[in-house]
Amino acid sequence: MSDTIFSKIIRREIPADIVYEDDEVLAFRDLNPQAPVHVLFIPKRPLATLNDAVAGDAELLGKLLLAAASYAKSEGFAEQGYRTVINCNEDGGQTVFHLHVHLLAGRRLHWPPG
């Protein structure tokens, strides 16, 4: 996997508004938010796309989603509702090829998303 902006954030080479961190997951506010709350949850171990995940990555993928849910609860919007999204490859809307989970909240989200 190539060196991405997310890899540089993990290494603290470029700044980010980090809101969550543990041994395997880092989360920070999106620079181009699509909702009042827009946080990206990324694995510290590089994984380019969801297509690249294997059975051995199941625990890590679960940790990403559990971290997002934990953050939603700690910030007080879990009961009101939020959305998690994983884009995969260009047609799926992925622009940074380091797997990430978008957490969107703070307004009513509509379906279909577009």
Side-chain angles (χ1 to χ4, degrees), residues 13-90:
E13 293 173 359
I14 59 174
D17 186 1
I18 296 170
V19 299
Y20 176 92
E21 184 172 15
D22 64 26
D23 290 342
E24 297 178 80
V25 176
L26 183 75
F28 50 91
R29 295 186 197 286
D30 194 297
L31 288 177
N32 184 27
Q34 302 300 305
V37 176
H38 189 167
V39 176
L40 303 177
F41 289 78
I42 64 172
K44 289 183 177 179
R45 181 174 54 80
L47 187 61
T49 74
L50 189 56
N51 286 344
D52 297 307
V54 296
D57 295 317
E59 185 175 351
L60 177 60
L61 295 172
K63 287 180 179 183
L64 287 170
L65 293 175
L66 290 173
S70 175
Y71 180 76
K73 291 172 190 168
S74 72
E75 293 298 305
F77 57 80
E79 292 303 316
Q80 197 169 1
Y82 60 95
R83 179 174 292 162
T84 56
V85 177
I86 299 174
N87 299 324
C88 187
N89 285 326
E90 290 179 31

